[in-house]
Amino acid sequence: MKNIAVIGAGTMGNGIAHVFAQNGFQVNLIDISQASLDKGIATITKNLDRMLAKEVIDQKNKETTLANISTYTDLNKGVSQVDLVVEAATENLDIKLKIFKDLDEACEASTILATNTSSISITQIGAATQRPDKVIGMHFMNPVPIMKLVEIIRGYNTSDAVTKTIMELSQKLGKTPTEVNDYPGFVANRILMPMINEAIETLYNGVAGVQEIDTVMKLGMAHPMGPLQLADFIGLDVCLSILNVMYDGFKNPKYAPCPLLVNMVMAGKLGVKSGEGFYDYSESRKAEHVSAQFN
């Protein structure tokens, strides 16, 4: 594999593009918005500069990485001659089904189609194509350039050969691939999201405050970040979406999202991305929160 396309230039998409490009792959970064592409490249450049300052890479490595990335707003042009597509668009089933149907028509028959979904069925996504054996999940963790894990999710029809190829490819990226089967939430979010939801329930029931809940989990369970702060960083809308997928998939009330989470999302309090969630991330409070949460 030499040529990779990444769909979506947001947080996950630009991180995935960064990692592939830094490891010598030619990457086509695709988004419907040129502004999003520009922002994505700016983020990659900023992250490379941070690595350069820490002497993790040198100037030549930075320049080569950026030179390995091309940007496209035209999906057909961006995926016409690639070996692998990694979709990292919004965590929305209808959007993903539409993208994969389009990819199936635009890509060569040999192209493997991967999705970075954190909860949506790989089998269902694969069924939107004429190549379900070549559809697989590659669930990277955020921040992608730092986190080692990649959940490799094989759908009901994903072939052994494609699974082996993606496992080996992930290792070439310096990641630790872990193969899991296709059930709602996979492994990471099936365990993580109920914990976050229970932390929100604990707050909702008045057992303790935000900082108290996070402090117990950080100091008592050695978590690097409390569950409420982690929810803010993931995005409360994303947490809600994943919980809904699991609730719909299992029909088990233990996955039902807390009413407080539902209300916060409806109110637009989504966490870091909106400037407020369980914590206040406005400019006037940012320095205070960085000091309080990371020291």
Side-chain angles (χ1 to χ4, degrees), residues 165-218:
T165 296
I166 297 302
M167 292 284 285
E168 292 175 349
L169 176 67
S170 299
Q171 291 174 332
K172 292 177 182 178
L173 299 177
K175 303 299 185 184
T176 301
T178 302
E179 181 182 337
V180 305
N181 290 319
D182 185 23
Y183 292 97
F186 315 133
V187 171
N189 282 316
R190 184 169 179 172
I191 295 170
L192 174 63
M193 286 302 154
M195 183 193 74
I196 287 176
N197 198 43
E198 193 62 31
I200 300 171
E201 286 278 3
T202 303
L203 176 66
Y204 179 58
N205 292 328
V207 178
V210 171
Q211 293 191 12
E212 288 76 13
I213 292 168
D214 278 354
T215 297
V216 167
M217 296 304 292
K218 286 192 293 184

Side-chain angles (χ1 to χ4, degrees), residues 100-154:
F100 273 78
K101 183 178 179 181
D102 292 343
L103 289 174
D104 190 42
E105 295 174 355
C107 294
E108 296 180 356
S110 60
T111 303
I112 296 173
L113 306 181
T115 173
N116 183 59
T117 181
S118 56
S119 62
I120 295 172
S121 168
I122 307 304
T123 302
Q124 188 173 6
I125 292 173
T129 75
Q130 299 299 313
R131 63 181 89 193
D133 59 313
K134 294 184 175 66
V135 175
I136 194 166
M138 290 185 78
H139 180 206
F140 290 84
M141 304 293 127
N142 185 33
V144 180
I146 296 173
M147 299 293 279
K148 291 292 186 181
L149 176 66
V150 183
E151 266 190 313
I152 305 299
I153 309 103
R154 56 185 303 164

Side-chain angles (χ1 to χ4, degrees), residues 37-50:
L37 288 168
D38 294 341
K39 184 178 180 181
I41 295 297
T43 298
I44 294 170
T45 303
K46 181 179 178 181
N47 289 335
L48 288 169
D49 285 337
R50 187 178 292 115

